[in-house]
Amino acid sequence: MPHRRDFLAGSLAAASLASLSTRSLFAAESETESRWPICVFTKPLNSMSFDEMAAALAKAGFDGVEATVRRGGNVEPADAAEKLPEMQRSMQKHGLEITLITTDIGEMGDPHRATVLETAADLGISRFRMRYGKYNRKQPIKHQLDHWKQQFGELANYCGNIGVQALYQNHAGENYLGASLWDLDRVLSDISPNHMGVVYDIRHAQVEGGMSWPVTWRMIQPRVRMLYVKDFQWVDGRVTNVPLGDGLVSQKFFDAVKASDLNCPISLHEEYLDHRDPALVPQHLEAMTTDLKTLQKRLGVNA
C-alpha cells in the first residue's frame, strides 16, 4: 500500500522546493540572524536522555543538533516514527532545532528509507546525511561512478518529491567516493543541489587535498549546502583528531567561507575523545563548548 505522503507529493513538490531555497536550507532570513547557524554532532551523547541533551547543548550556546538516526544512534531507524518526534519535542522545548539527521540511507532500496525520511519531512526536518559510497577495487572506476550517478539520481528525485534534501559528506580515505571531491562532483553533475547537495568537511578535505584543497573547494562550493568543522594533526604518519584550533585546519578556510555567499548551517564535530564511553559525557560537553567558542571566533561572529 502506498505511503500516505505519496499522495501529497505532487501538491507539496513546488512548496518544498521553494522552502529548500529559503530558510529551511540556507539559514538566515534577515541580517539580524546568523548566516551560519551552528549545530553539534550528537554521537558522543547517546547515553543522555533527549531532554538532558537538549538542556546541556542549549546552555552551551548551540542553535541545533545533528542527530544520529541510524543503528546504535540517538534514534534507531525502525523506531523513527515514534522516537524522532520525541527527540524534536525535547530540542524545541530548549529552543533548539534538529538541523540535520545522519542516516545510513544511500539508495531507494534501504528498508528504513520511508520511515526515516518521511517522518523527518512530516516534522519539518529538511536535511539528512547519506551513507558513504565505497569503491570496489575489483571494478572499473567509471563503471562505479555511473552506477552511483543513477542510484543517487533516483534517491534525489524521491527527496524532491517529499521535501527533504540529501547531503553527501566528503570523507578522507582511499576507498571513499568523494574523498578527492572530483569524483563526487561528477556523480552529482545532473542532480539539483536542492535535492542532493554536499556537506563539505574541511578536515577531510584538507587531509586529502593538502595544499590544493582550495581548488576543490571552489569547484564543489555551488553544491555545498552545509559545512562540517573539526581539526586534525599528523602524528607519526597518522591522522589524529584534535580540538578545533590546535591542528592544521587553516584560518584560510574560514576566511573563504566569510568571503563567499554561503548562508548555510555548520555542524561542529568533536571527535577527539572516545564517544563510546558514557563516563566521558561531561568532558565531551566541555570540549564542545570550547570548540564552539573557537569556531565563533574564527568566523568572526558573536557568541
Side-chain angles (χ1 to χ4, degrees):
M1 179 177 179
H3 194 280
R4 66 186 182 86
R5 289 195 62 86
D6 294 338
F7 295 104
L8 298 175
S11 60
L12 288 177
S16 297
L17 291 178
S19 67
L20 291 177
S21 63
T22 55
R23 191 180 194 283
S24 67
L25 288 177
F26 299 109
E29 285 182 318
S30 71
E31 292 182 358
T32 62
E33 295 182 73
S34 172
R35 285 177 59 190
W36 310 289
I38 300 174
C39 66
V40 66
F41 191 32
T42 58
K43 182 171 71 172
L45 309 178
N46 274 351
S47 62
M48 303 180 78
S49 71
F50 295 152
D51 199 63
E52 290 171 336
M53 184 191 308
L57 295 177
K59 182 179 180 181
F62 289 99
D63 299 306
V65 297
E66 176 183 346
T68 52
V69 185
R70 60 187 182 186
R71 185 176 179 182
N74 304 133
V75 174
E76 291 287 336
D79 299 333
E82 176 187 358
K83 293 296 184 180
L84 191 56
E86 181 183 333
M87 185 175 190
Q88 187 185 57
R89 285 192 295 271
S90 292
M91 296 301 147
Q92 291 177 336
K93 175 182 174 182
H94 294 277
L96 302 179
E97 68 170 359
I98 299 179
T99 309
L100 171 75
I101 58 173
T102 289
T103 75
D104 289 324
I105 298 169
E107 60 182 339
M108 289 295 292
D110 185 281
H112 300 295
R113 167 187 51 81
T115 300
V116 171
L117 298 185
E118 294 175 19
T119 297
D122 283 338
L123 295 172
I125 300 168
S126 58
R127 309 172 190 86
F128 74 98
R129 193 222 296 181
M130 300 169 55
R131 183 185 72 222
Y132 303 116
K134 290 189 176 182
Y135 286 106
N136 183 333
R137 297 185 185 184
K138 297 180 180 180
Q139 295 183 4
I141 298 298
K142 182 181 183 304
H143 171 77
Q144 295 180 72
L145 295 179
D146 290 343
H147 170 74
W148 279 315
K149 192 178 186 73
Q150 179 180 352
Q151 177 178 300
F152 287 6
E154 293 170 354
L155 182 60
N157 288 338
Y158 167 79
C159 291
N161 285 335
I162 69 168
V164 298
Q165 183 184 67
L167 295 176
Y168 190 98
Q169 176 197 7
N170 58 296
H171 195 292
E174 64 176 309
N175 295 324
Y176 287 98
L177 166 68
S180 68
L181 283 163
W182 292 96
D183 52 352
L184 182 60
D185 188 63
R186 175 172 171 177
V187 167
L188 298 178
S189 62
D190 297 325
I191 297 175
S192 167
N194 287 338
H195 295 167
M196 183 178 290
V198 172
V199 51
Y200 181 86
D201 190 313
I202 181 56
R203 180 270 200 199
H204 289 296
Q206 200 164 333
V207 167
E208 287 288 343
M211 296 175 66
S212 67
W213 66 265
V215 175
T216 49
W217 161 250
R218 291 194 298 272
M219 175 193 68
I220 207 70
Q221 186 181 318
R223 301 192 179 281
V224 171
R225 294 296 181 267
M226 193 162 175
L227 302 171
Y228 279 175
V229 170
K230 49 196 171 188
D231 212 337
F232 75 100
Q233 293 178 348
W234 287 100
V235 178
D236 297 328
R238 298 176 65 88
V239 179
T240 301
N241 294 318
V242 298
L244 186 62
D246 289 354
L248 297 174
V249 168
S250 172
Q251 179 62 35
K252 184 176 180 179
F253 168 69
F254 298 97
D255 292 341
V257 170
K258 289 189 287 184
S260 75
D261 60 358
L262 281 175
N263 294 334
C264 69
I266 298 174
S267 186
L268 182 66
H269 283 217
E270 179 272 298
E271 298 183 353
Y272 46 88
L273 300 175
D274 185 359
H275 70 273
R276 296 163 295 185
D277 186 355
L280 294 179
V281 164
Q283 289 95 315
H284 281 294
L285 290 170
E286 183 178 358
M288 290 172 176
T289 303
T290 300
D291 283 353
L292 173 60
K293 292 177 181 178
T294 302
L295 175 57
Q296 291 169 328
K297 182 177 180 180
R298 300 192 85 170
L299 288 171
V301 300
N302 295 324

XYZ file of all heavy atoms in Angstrom, residues 106 130 145-160 164-168 184-198 222-225:
337
model
N 21.324 5.383 1.552
C 22.076 5.789 0.375
C 21.416 5.415 -0.929
O 21.930 5.739 -1.995
N 23.701 11.281 3.994
C 23.606 9.980 3.339
C 24.692 9.017 3.822
O 25.680 9.414 4.423
C 23.774 10.148 1.823
C 22.756 11.021 1.144
S 23.253 11.385 -0.557
C 23.499 9.730 -1.232
N 31.196 4.886 -10.877
C 30.678 6.254 -10.893
C 29.341 6.318 -11.622
O 28.410 7.005 -11.178
C 31.684 7.197 -11.539
C 33.017 7.390 -10.807
C 33.918 8.336 -11.593
C 32.809 7.915 -9.390
N 29.230 5.611 -12.742
C 27.972 5.577 -13.489
C 26.852 4.954 -12.662
O 25.698 5.405 -12.709
C 28.144 4.793 -14.789
C 29.017 5.521 -15.803
O 29.214 6.746 -15.637
O 29.508 4.870 -16.739
N 27.194 3.919 -11.893
C 26.201 3.272 -11.038
C 25.701 4.241 -9.970
O 24.490 4.353 -9.734
C 26.810 2.031 -10.375
C 25.952 1.435 -9.311
N 24.808 0.709 -9.581
C 26.062 1.483 -7.949
C 24.251 0.323 -8.444
N 24.991 0.777 -7.439
N 26.632 4.936 -9.311
C 26.230 5.894 -8.285
C 25.419 7.031 -8.873
O 24.484 7.530 -8.241
C 27.459 6.441 -7.564
C 27.982 5.531 -6.497
C 27.269 4.856 -5.552
C 29.359 5.199 -6.258
N 28.100 4.120 -4.738
C 29.393 4.314 -5.145
C 30.565 5.559 -6.855
C 30.582 3.787 -4.636
C 31.750 5.044 -6.345
C 31.750 4.169 -5.256
N 25.769 7.442 -10.064
C 25.036 8.533 -10.701
C 23.559 8.173 -10.861
O 22.665 8.977 -10.576
C 25.663 8.838 -12.070
C 25.200 10.127 -12.722
C 25.929 10.317 -14.039
C 25.624 11.652 -14.659
N 26.287 12.756 -13.953
N 23.295 6.957 -11.296
C 21.911 6.501 -11.446
C 21.237 6.324 -10.080
O 20.101 6.761 -9.865
C 21.871 5.186 -12.218
C 20.450 4.634 -12.384
C 20.434 3.324 -13.161
O 21.435 2.883 -13.706
N 19.267 2.703 -13.220
N 21.942 5.688 -9.169
C 21.396 5.398 -7.838
C 21.064 6.687 -7.089
O 19.984 6.818 -6.492
C 22.422 4.590 -7.049
C 22.046 4.254 -5.620
C 23.134 3.410 -4.959
O 23.444 2.320 -5.407
N 23.707 3.931 -3.886
N 21.985 7.638 -7.119
C 21.774 8.905 -6.431
C 20.673 9.720 -7.110
O 19.924 10.434 -6.450
C 23.065 9.715 -6.380
C 24.102 9.179 -5.420
C 23.919 7.972 -4.757
C 25.271 9.884 -5.178
C 24.874 7.476 -3.877
C 26.229 9.410 -4.290
C 26.030 8.197 -3.645
N 20.601 9.634 -8.427
C 19.565 10.357 -9.149
C 18.171 9.908 -8.745
O 17.255 10.733 -8.567
N 17.987 8.601 -8.577
C 16.689 8.071 -8.151
C 16.338 8.555 -6.746
O 15.196 8.954 -6.476
C 16.719 6.543 -8.187
C 16.837 5.969 -9.593
C 17.100 4.467 -9.600
O 17.305 3.899 -8.493
O 17.104 3.865 -10.687
N 17.322 8.529 -5.850
C 17.075 8.981 -4.487
C 16.798 10.485 -4.460
O 15.915 10.957 -3.720
C 18.281 8.648 -3.598
C 18.166 9.024 -2.121
C 16.993 8.315 -1.460
C 19.471 8.700 -1.380
N 17.518 11.247 -5.263
C 17.319 12.701 -5.301
C 15.919 13.059 -5.781
O 15.283 13.986 -5.254
C 18.368 13.348 -6.194
N 15.411 12.326 -6.770
C 14.047 12.589 -7.251
C 13.024 12.358 -6.144
O 12.075 13.139 -5.975
C 13.734 11.701 -8.455
C 14.475 12.120 -9.701
O 14.900 13.275 -9.826
N 14.651 11.207 -10.634
N 13.215 11.292 -5.418
C 12.335 10.990 -4.293
C 12.414 12.098 -3.239
O 11.388 12.544 -2.716
C 12.739 9.645 -3.691
C 12.130 9.323 -2.347
C 10.821 8.856 -2.251
C 12.875 9.473 -1.177
C 10.268 8.555 -1.008
C 12.339 9.175 0.058
C 11.034 8.710 0.137
O 10.499 8.407 1.367
N 13.628 12.553 -2.936
C 13.805 13.611 -1.947
C 13.077 14.882 -2.369
O 12.439 15.558 -1.540
C 15.284 13.896 -1.735
S 16.178 12.568 -0.907
N 13.165 15.220 -3.636
C 12.470 16.395 -4.135
C 10.967 16.282 -3.975
O 10.280 17.265 -3.679
N 12.652 16.821 1.282
C 13.871 16.752 2.082
C 15.074 16.833 1.150
O 14.946 16.626 -0.051
C 13.957 15.467 2.941
C 12.821 15.410 3.944
C 13.986 14.222 2.065
N 16.223 17.113 1.721
C 17.444 17.230 0.923
C 18.488 16.258 1.436
O 18.811 16.236 2.622
C 17.998 18.655 1.020
C 19.240 18.881 0.159
C 19.794 20.279 0.368
O 20.284 20.593 1.443
N 19.715 21.106 -0.645
N 18.994 15.432 0.528
C 20.097 14.532 0.856
C 21.405 15.309 0.805
O 21.600 16.158 -0.074
C 20.135 13.374 -0.141
N 22.311 15.012 1.728
C 23.625 15.636 1.742
C 24.684 14.548 1.810
O 24.607 13.655 2.660
C 23.769 16.585 2.945
C 22.861 17.806 2.947
C 23.030 18.594 4.235
C 23.133 18.691 1.747
N 25.670 14.647 0.928
C 26.756 13.675 0.888
C 28.012 14.335 1.445
O 28.424 15.402 0.981
C 27.004 13.177 -0.537
C 27.951 12.004 -0.591
C 27.467 10.709 -0.673
C 29.335 12.189 -0.544
C 28.329 9.612 -0.701
C 30.205 11.115 -0.560
C 29.695 9.833 -0.646
O 30.562 8.765 -0.661
N 32.948 13.020 -6.795
C 31.623 13.358 -6.293
C 30.961 14.416 -7.172
O 29.760 14.333 -7.470
C 31.728 13.854 -4.849
C 30.420 14.210 -4.165
C 29.478 13.020 -4.104
C 30.692 14.745 -2.752
N 31.731 15.407 -7.592
C 31.187 16.437 -8.479
C 30.679 15.815 -9.778
O 29.621 16.208 -10.301
C 32.260 17.487 -8.777
C 31.713 18.680 -9.530
O 30.852 19.387 -8.975
O 32.136 18.898 -10.678
N 31.378 14.821 -10.267
C 30.951 14.137 -11.496
C 29.653 13.363 -11.273
O 28.735 13.426 -12.100
C 32.048 13.193 -11.968
C 31.676 12.345 -13.169
C 32.873 11.580 -13.689
N 32.491 10.604 -14.698
C 33.353 9.848 -15.364
N 34.647 9.976 -15.130
N 32.941 8.988 -16.263
N 29.557 12.649 -10.169
C 28.361 11.862 -9.879
C 27.136 12.765 -9.721
O 26.029 12.421 -10.148
C 28.576 11.006 -8.609
C 27.261 10.425 -8.104
C 29.570 9.888 -8.896
N 27.318 13.934 -9.133
C 26.197 14.831 -8.862
C 25.921 15.825 -9.993
O 25.038 16.683 -9.860
C 26.468 15.615 -7.573
C 26.605 14.789 -6.289
C 26.917 15.711 -5.112
C 25.352 13.979 -6.009
N 26.623 15.705 -11.098
C 26.594 16.735 -12.142
C 25.204 17.016 -12.704
O 24.915 18.147 -13.095
C 27.548 16.361 -13.285
O 27.147 15.140 -13.888
N 24.336 16.021 -12.767
C 22.996 16.210 -13.340
C 21.904 16.296 -12.277
O 20.715 16.220 -12.598
C 22.674 15.062 -14.304
C 23.623 15.018 -15.498
O 24.042 16.097 -15.953
O 23.933 13.906 -15.965
N 22.299 16.431 -11.010
C 21.344 16.428 -9.906
C 21.272 17.816 -9.287
O 22.293 18.444 -9.016
C 21.767 15.402 -8.833
C 21.741 13.981 -9.426
C 20.847 15.478 -7.618
C 22.268 12.925 -8.475
N 20.059 18.297 -9.037
C 19.898 19.594 -8.389
C 20.450 19.557 -6.975
O 20.107 18.656 -6.199
C 18.415 19.973 -8.337
O 18.214 21.074 -7.468
N 21.280 20.532 -6.604
C 21.786 20.581 -5.222
C 20.674 20.759 -4.198
O 20.880 20.494 -3.014
C 22.725 21.791 -5.228
C 23.061 22.023 -6.654
C 21.862 21.597 -7.434
N 19.503 21.216 -4.626
C 18.393 21.368 -3.699
C 17.717 20.038 -3.396
O 16.908 19.955 -2.472
C 17.372 22.361 -4.246
C 17.884 23.782 -4.178
O 18.770 24.091 -3.390
N 17.345 24.644 -5.017
N 18.049 19.011 -4.176
C 17.568 17.659 -3.881
C 18.662 16.820 -3.243
O 18.385 16.033 -2.338
C 17.086 16.973 -5.162
C 15.899 17.623 -5.779
N 15.468 17.324 -7.058
C 15.040 18.562 -5.307
C 14.405 18.055 -7.338
N 14.130 18.813 -6.301
N 19.884 16.988 -3.723
C 21.030 16.269 -3.171
C 22.252 17.167 -3.294
O 22.729 17.447 -4.399
C 21.265 14.946 -3.895
C 22.393 14.096 -3.328
S 22.574 12.503 -4.197
C 21.074 11.664 -3.664
N 22.741 17.630 -2.176
C 23.893 18.511 -2.170
C 25.061 17.900 -1.428
O 25.107 16.693 -1.174
N 26.003 18.742 -1.066
C 27.225 18.302 -0.399
C 27.305 18.954 0.977
O 27.046 20.150 1.127
C 28.470 18.681 -1.226
C 29.758 18.401 -0.448
C 28.467 17.929 -2.552
N 29.359 25.420 -5.316
C 27.966 25.585 -5.746
C 27.037 24.468 -5.282
O 25.815 24.660 -5.258
C 28.076 25.613 -7.278
C 29.462 26.093 -7.543
C 30.298 25.484 -6.462
N 27.599 23.323 -4.905
C 26.778 22.202 -4.425
C 26.721 22.120 -2.901
O 25.995 21.293 -2.353
C 27.327 20.881 -4.971
C 27.349 20.840 -6.483
C 27.623 19.449 -7.026
N 27.595 19.490 -8.478
C 26.475 19.498 -9.203
N 25.315 19.418 -8.600
N 26.518 19.559 -10.512
N 27.479 22.966 -2.228
C 27.566 22.890 -0.765
C 26.309 23.490 -0.134
O 25.916 24.615 -0.432
C 28.818 23.624 -0.256
C 28.801 23.728 1.273
C 30.077 22.895 -0.727
N 25.704 22.710 0.756
C 24.510 23.157 1.464
C 24.674 23.081 2.982
O 23.758 23.414 3.720
C 23.295 22.333 1.023
C 22.901 22.547 -0.441
C 22.454 23.978 -0.675
N 22.054 24.218 -2.053
C 22.844 24.666 -3.013
N 24.136 24.901 -2.748
N 22.382 24.890 -4.229
